[in-house]
Amino acid sequence: MASKAKVHSGAAKRFKKTAKGLKRKSAHKSHILTKMTTKRKRQLRGTSQVNAVDVPNVKRMLREV
């Protein structure tokens, strides 16, 4: 029996597959937020699409080839 292909666990935590493609969270939103302005933190909320250039690499890490 062949071994099962494993998903890149770091990528699995960071990217989610949607109907339109892949979504990701914004960077710079984890710690040392006291010095960042409220406007900047607000703009970093939510998710966005993975850039088309990066999609093949992310799909390979998620084993969606």
Side-chain angles (χ1 to χ4, degrees):
M1 191 163 151
S3 62
K4 188 174 177 181
K6 292 195 171 138
V7 172
H8 191 289
S9 61
K13 294 168 192 173
R14 287 167 174 83
F15 303 103
K16 186 161 182 155
K17 191 178 177 190
T18 61
K20 290 185 179 181
L22 296 158
K23 71 177 181 178
R24 63 170 178 83
K25 282 184 75 172
S26 298
H28 314 295
K29 195 74 172 39
S30 60
H31 64 104
I32 315 175
L33 300 173
T34 52
K35 62 178 77 171
M36 196 182 288
T37 62
T38 308
K39 179 182 178 181
R40 186 75 186 118
K41 289 186 277 193
R42 186 172 60 246
Q43 288 172 340
L44 289 171
R45 268 185 219 150
T47 57
S48 54
Q49 293 283 118
V50 173
N51 196 298
V53 176
D54 299 320
V55 168
N57 287 331
V58 176
K59 281 191 171 181
R60 188 176 63 92
M61 287 190 281
L62 297 176
R63 300 287 182 225
E64 294 179 14
V65 181

